[in-house]
Amino acid sequence: MTSVQPYPVVSNLIERIGDWLIQRRQLNELGALDSGEFKRMAHELGLAPSDLDTIVRKGVNGAEELPQMLRALGFDEAAIAKIRPPLMMEMRHACAGCAHKRACATDLAAKTAAANYENYCANANDITLLARAAE
């Protein structure tokens, strides 16, 4: 049974506001850390402090395009789950910091990602290698 949202625009707006509030809280929490603690946290995540700051500023959905892109390129859920965690983390970081979100979203919506992703995707090389390894 499918649930119907009586007010989808309002529901979407509420969800976006919730995501924004989560992002603001994360930024405030990071801002409260002293620089040494912030650097230690970034190091534990395998990031430069500036990269951690960029990722948090992108918000909770900063890398939401990555699994969508992988599926658009023919990866099924089992194949995505088999990607080594360190590589997946690197790919998520690259996606979150990407400057080509609009092109990616447009291609995903138009179902043209497979033809165009290599022109802008920060993960294009890794995705190509993963696809070759799966063959």
Side-chain angles (χ1 to χ4, degrees), residues 57-100:
R57 289 185 189 286
K58 294 287 183 177
V60 294
N61 298 322
E64 70 182 356
E65 297 86 358
L66 180 58
Q68 294 173 32
M69 180 63 76
L70 291 170
R71 284 190 293 275
L73 297 173
F75 289 79
D76 61 17
E77 295 305 317
I80 293 171
K82 288 180 183 176
I83 297 173
R84 296 181 330 271
L87 176 58
M88 183 57 90
M89 184 190 294
E90 286 178 29
M91 291 173 66
R92 285 187 183 282
H93 293 165
C95 184
C98 183
H100 304 285

Side-chain angles (χ1 to χ4, degrees), residues 3-24:
S3 67
V4 177
Q5 294 179 341
Y7 303 102
V9 173
V10 174
S11 295
N12 187 20
L13 180 61
I14 290 170
E15 185 177 320
R16 287 178 179 263
I17 290 171
D19 288 348
W20 180 82
L21 289 171
I22 290 168
Q23 180 187 15
R24 302 303 330 156

